[in-house]
Amino acid sequence: MTLHEPPRFPRGFRCAATHCGIKHGTEPDLSLFASEQPATAAAVFTRNQVPGAPVVVGRERIRGGRLQAVVVNSRVANVGTGAEGVERARRMGSATASALGIDEELVLMSSTGVIGVPLPIEKIEAALPGLAGELQDDPMVGARGMMTTDTHPKAVSLPVGEDATLTVVGKGAGMIAPNMATMLVYAFTDAALDGPAVDRRLRAAVDRTFNMLSVDSDTSTSDTCALLANGLSGPVSEDRFGDALVEAFVSMTEMLARDGEGADTLLRVTVTGAASVEDARSVARSLVDSPLVKTMVAGGDPNVGRILMAVGKCFGARIEPDAIGAHISGIPVLEAGRRTGFDESAVRRVLGQDPVDLEVDLGVGEHRARAWGCDLTHGYIEENASYYSS
Amino acid sequence: MTLHEPPRFPRGFRCAATHCGIKHGTEPDLSLFASEQPATAAAVFTRNQVPGAPVVVGRERIRGGRLQAVVVNSRVANVGTGAEGVERARRMGSATASALGIDEELVLMSSTGVIGVPLPIEKIEAALPGLAGELQDDPMVGARGMMTTDTHPKAVSLPVGEDATLTVVGKGAGMIAPNMATMLVYAFTDAALDGPAVDRRLRAAVDRTFNMLSVDSDTSTSDTCALLANGLSGPVSEDRFGDALVEAFVSMTEMLARDGEGADTLLRVTVTGAASVEDARSVARSLVDSPLVKTMVAGGDPNVGRILMAVGKCFGARIEPDAIGAHISGIPVLEAGRRTGFDESAVRRVLGQDPVDLEVDLGVGEHRARAWGCDLTHGYIEENASYYSS
């Protein structure tokens, strides 16, 4: 399948964004996504035990299995704000429902940004009626209003079956680690799918993609991934839809990883030869999470012994040190647990390119997994040492 | 108890160090510690599943419960070096035993530095006879020969009971995470203790100190903590010795954390009010491991909502968001899960001091734990983006 370039919406979906006054300056900080009719929907949320108020309300709403709109603000996360925060999240949904003339139970709210600061709900309420009148067809507009430390808006779309479209809009950057959900991502389709299929395919695709993404090993309190299927283009085979969803999510995962805070390079780790899928996943995650592997990529320094360290610290996995092999972007760097006599300048060269593909063969089984991450650079320190104040 | 200043050795222990040619330049890269008679001994080693060759041999040797010498080289870790690496680790021990005129089973070897590079054993063998003739009384000399990215040598000593002394020598800096053992630390005492007491007290002290230390969440392949008791000062109460060992290990843990790669500040986290000790430990570790908490300390930025995030990502712990309280160096910043109205300039001021004491009360029980870490700075990136080459 080929991605639509530029990304477009499925039938019946539109979006709008505005600067309502939460961010300093004039960048948009409020986005609205809406379907012209209610959609079958599913969502997964962060496992963080201090979830944001919108996550608390979102978990209740998604039980109904139907959504028609998503409203998102950036800069303030509405987390650590108690009962008052939950009340403000509900008000954000009510204002959206009024502006669109729909049932408030069909609105999903998200907030992303600083934790522990009250949501400026009056600014949001004041902006929503106007925003509902500005709905338009470019998904990048809505993506832009969700950005925090992202350097660019993120959306992908692709065809599904004969006539339907799948569009995925997301934001990421920091506080991203594998334990669903790790960012804000909304998938919209005009394919007709039943509730169980929407839920099943969302969970399966998230498990293989966003749950295997790590920018910094920190797990956000806010994050959410939802799928809305409004059915306007009629039925599509569930398998075909599931494949498209995985493809779109892989594409979004790579965008999020490459745009990780301060990141210069997408790090793609493939683990093969594992004794179980769980082992393969745990080793792949250990490699994308390791600060020493990430700084090796940042520096282009062929300190490949760190790969052995990051494999070995998976205490629960079956590891035979003398069976481990590894390639960096096609160049063999470890064989039978030992450094090969690789050409250091060639390895430096591929470490300086984007993406870096690290393939690790555990040599003890038949299972495999892939994880996505990024390098660890001065930029990460720069952004996070002063994020609150800036 | 008061630490000896400067640190000194217990009766019968001495050390020496030299530049044998593994490091570039002239800094010492080989250290020897020896007791004038065999000592009752215990040791704990890294849980990394790709352990260094000296760890493989060390695990065999410590079963005998007796050691008389420790030999350590820096710059090359002898990890990922296969059967040849194990053979070279044994040769390092044999050369030490010959030089000292003792049984080779009484020698513990350690190597620390780059992974996957062959150990230059001939340089070590050539240097050892001379080194054995240079044994002297300052533990800092031996500590210096073990340094990698450490900025200074580390040793502490203190009295135990009436007449005995306990001396702890260590090195740390990077690839340090809580899962024993996380660095090289050797404890020497002239107290007389039996084998089970030495083993029991070592494990108990490590569990409360080095196992709660994290510089970067990466777990080294090499690291080792050993305790040698040569008995020259006669018996000491086991409890009194155990208290001294914990005190000395806390002191060494704080030195290692403060000298973490690129670190400017010691971060001391105390978790109280937990439903179990395991919960308290897991939350304390999550806080010292979180890149977003660590960069908050580095930047002096009062982004205290990140504390809620790092507590909430302990998926297995009992967490009630509305019960969480926190203080930063005595200033209340969270109460009942919400930001207090704290004075931001006061919090900036204490975040700029060393150490930073973060106290988190989970408010759901009576258990507590402490963990140690450091800030995450540009210096960490600097050192690790080019460690192999420099």
Side-chain angles (χ1 to χ4, degrees):
Chain A
M1 280 176 278
T2 310
L3 300 181
H4 293 306
E5 197 58 58
R8 66 181 76 144
F9 270 124
R11 281 191 189 89
F13 286 100
R14 290 185 300 160
C15 74
T18 189
H19 174 73
C20 75
I22 309 176
K23 281 183 181 168
H24 306 312
T26 58
E27 287 298 311
D29 50 21
L30 183 66
S31 289
L32 175 63
F33 300 87
S35 168
E36 65 181 52
Q37 67 179 41
T40 304
V44 285
F45 299 95
T46 184
R47 286 182 61 206
N48 194 298
Q49 294 200 73
V50 185
V55 170
V56 172
V57 180
R59 285 199 177 113
E60 294 169 14
R61 289 220 167 143
I62 203 62
R63 286 195 207 115
R66 290 178 78 71
L67 292 175
Q68 192 169 355
V70 177
V71 60
V72 187
N73 73 276
S74 47
R75 168 115 189 118
V76 169
N78 196 6
V79 178
T81 48
E84 173 66 24
V86 171
E87 178 56 29
R88 291 186 188 193
R90 290 190 193 283
R91 282 173 63 184
M92 184 167 163
S94 301
T96 304
S98 298
L100 292 171
I102 65 173
D103 182 343
E104 69 178 335
E105 293 300 314
L106 296 175
V107 182
L108 180 69
M109 295 78 70
S110 294
S111 298
T112 175
V114 177
I115 297 172
V117 172
L119 184 70
I121 183 64
E122 290 79 8
K123 292 179 180 175
I124 293 170
E125 287 174 331
L128 273 166
L131 198 60
E134 291 167 14
L135 292 169
Q136 52 78 58
D137 294 324
D138 180 2
M140 286 299 205
V141 169
R144 186 172 293 279
M146 295 156 45
M147 288 167 54
T148 52
T149 52
D150 307 70
T151 66
H152 59 88
K154 300 175 183 74
V156 292
S157 68
L158 73 180
V160 191
E162 295 302 306
D163 197 36
T165 300
L166 170 67
T167 302
V168 177
V169 174
K171 64 84 54 185
M175 210 182 282
I176 291 193
N179 272 299
M180 190 61 229
T182 53
M183 65 290 113
L184 302 182
V185 171
Y186 311 102
F188 306 103
T189 185
D190 47 9
L193 294 154
D194 64 22
V198 166
D199 190 68
R200 181 165 57 230
R201 293 297 175 166
L202 176 68
R203 288 174 195 282
V206 163
D207 205 43
R208 285 178 55 185
T209 56
F210 302 124
N211 274 353
M212 297 302 287
L213 163 67
S214 179
V215 164
D216 58 6
S217 82
D218 274 337
T219 302
S220 165
T221 50
S222 299
D223 296 344
T224 297
C225 181
L227 168 60
L228 285 74
N230 70 10
L232 285 175
S233 291
V236 165
S237 117
E238 186 186 328
D239 283 346
R240 184 173 283 190
F241 179 79
D243 290 346
L245 193 64
V246 169
E247 184 181 348
F249 278 6
V250 166
S251 178
M252 179 57 69
T253 296
E254 297 198 346
M255 273 190 218
L256 293 170
R258 185 177 272 121
D259 196 34
E261 284 175 344
D264 294 321
T265 306
L266 168 64
L267 172 61
R268 216 157 33 189
V269 174
T270 308
V271 172
T272 60
S276 68
V277 171
E278 294 67 37
D279 282 7
R281 288 169 68 97
S282 98
V283 172
R285 285 170 166 178
S286 176
L287 285 157
V288 295
D289 267 340
S290 163
L292 291 169
V293 171
K294 289 157 68 81
T295 49
M296 173 183 80
V297 174
D301 198 38
N303 200 342
V304 301
R306 291 173 177 176
I307 297 168
L308 295 174
M309 177 280 300
V311 171
K313 72 173 175 154
C314 297
F315 305 124
R318 184 170 154 217
I319 305 297
E320 291 177 12
D322 294 341
I324 300 167
H327 290 69
I328 296 179
S329 299
I331 302 175
V333 294
L334 295 174
E335 273 173 19
R338 305 183 63 167
R339 278 174 78 103
T340 62
F342 60 81
D343 173 356
E344 292 202 0
S345 62
V347 174
R348 278 177 208 281
R349 198 155 48 237
V350 295
L351 284 173
Q353 289 164 358
D354 176 33
V356 168
D357 274 298
L358 173 57
E359 294 169 44
V360 174
D361 182 358
L362 299 182
V364 295
E366 299 299 324
H367 296 277
R368 58 188 295 137
R370 176 168 273 196
W372 290 266
C374 56
D375 54 344
L376 174 59
T377 70
H378 288 296
Y380 183 87
I381 310 290
E382 203 64 54
E383 294 193 27
N384 285 301
S386 62
Y387 177 69
Y388 173 75
S389 312
S390 59
Chain B
M1 281 175 279
T2 310
L3 300 181
H4 293 306
E5 198 55 59
R8 66 180 75 145
F9 270 124
R11 281 190 188 89
F13 288 100
R14 289 186 300 161
C15 75
T18 189
H19 175 73
C20 76
I22 308 176
K23 281 184 182 168
H24 305 314
T26 58
E27 287 298 310
D29 51 21
L30 183 66
S31 289
L32 176 63
F33 301 87
S35 169
E36 65 181 51
Q37 67 179 41
T40 305
V44 285
F45 298 95
T46 184
R47 287 182 60 206
N48 195 297
Q49 294 200 75
V50 186
V55 169
V56 172
V57 180
R59 285 198 177 114
E60 295 169 12
R61 289 219 168 145
I62 203 61
R63 287 195 205 117
R66 289 176 81 70
L67 291 175
Q68 192 169 355
V70 177
V71 60
V72 187
N73 74 276
S74 47
R75 167 113 188 119
V76 169
N78 196 7
V79 179
T81 48
E84 174 67 23
V86 171
E87 179 56 29
R88 290 186 188 194
R90 290 190 194 283
R91 282 172 62 182
M92 185 167 163
S94 301
T96 304
S98 298
L100 292 170
I102 65 173
D103 182 342
E104 69 178 333
E105 293 299 313
L106 296 175
V107 181
L108 180 69
M109 295 78 70
S110 294
S111 298
T112 176
V114 177
I115 297 172
V117 172
L119 185 69
I121 184 64
E122 290 80 8
K123 292 179 180 175
I124 292 170
E125 288 174 331
L128 273 166
L131 197 59
E134 291 166 13
L135 292 168
Q136 52 77 60
D137 294 324
D138 180 3
M140 286 299 206
V141 169
R144 185 172 293 281
M146 294 157 45
M147 287 166 56
T148 52
T149 50
D150 307 71
T151 66
H152 60 87
K154 300 175 183 75
V156 292
S157 67
L158 74 180
V160 191
E162 296 301 306
D163 198 36
T165 299
L166 170 66
T167 301
V168 178
V169 175
K171 65 82 54 185
M175 210 181 282
I176 291 193
N179 273 299
M180 190 63 229
T182 52
M183 63 293 114
L184 302 181
V185 171
Y186 310 102
F188 306 102
T189 185
D190 47 10
L193 295 152
D194 64 22
V198 166
D199 189 69
R200 181 165 57 228
R201 292 297 173 167
L202 176 68
R203 289 175 194 279
V206 164
D207 205 44
R208 285 178 55 186
T209 56
F210 302 125
N211 274 353
M212 297 301 286
L213 163 67
S214 179
V215 164
D216 57 6
S217 81
D218 274 336
T219 302
S220 165
T221 50
S222 299
D223 296 345
T224 297
C225 181
L227 168 59
L228 285 73
N230 70 10
L232 285 175
S233 292
V236 166
S237 117
E238 185 186 329
D239 284 346
R240 185 173 283 189
F241 179 79
D243 290 346
L245 193 64
V246 169
E247 183 181 349
F249 279 7
V250 166
S251 178
M252 179 57 68
T253 296
E254 297 197 348
M255 272 190 220
L256 292 170
R258 185 177 273 121
D259 197 32
E261 284 174 345
D264 295 320
T265 306
L266 168 65
L267 172 61
R268 217 156 34 189
V269 174
T270 308
V271 173
T272 60
S276 68
V277 171
E278 295 65 38
D279 282 8
R281 288 169 68 96
S282 100
V283 172
R285 285 171 167 178
S286 176
L287 285 157
V288 295
D289 267 340
S290 163
L292 291 170
V293 171
K294 290 157 67 82
T295 49
M296 172 183 79
V297 175
D301 198 39
N303 200 342
V304 301
R306 292 173 177 176
I307 297 168
L308 294 174
M309 177 280 300
V311 171
K313 72 173 175 154
C314 297
F315 306 122
R318 184 170 156 216
I319 305 296
E320 292 177 10
D322 293 342
I324 300 168
H327 289 69
I328 296 179
S329 297
I331 302 175
V333 294
L334 295 173
E335 273 174 20
R338 305 184 62 166
R339 279 173 77 105
T340 63
F342 60 81
D343 173 358
E344 291 201 1
S345 63
V347 174
R348 278 177 207 281
R349 197 156 50 239
V350 295
L351 284 173
Q353 289 164 358
D354 176 35
V356 168
D357 274 297
L358 173 57
E359 293 169 46
V360 174
D361 181 358
L362 299 182
V364 295
E366 299 299 323
H367 296 277
R368 57 188 295 135
R370 176 168 274 195
W372 291 265
C374 56
D375 54 345
L376 174 59
T377 69
H378 289 296
Y380 183 86
I381 310 289
E382 203 65 54
E383 294 193 28
N384 285 302
S386 62
Y387 177 69
Y388 173 75
S389 312
S390 58

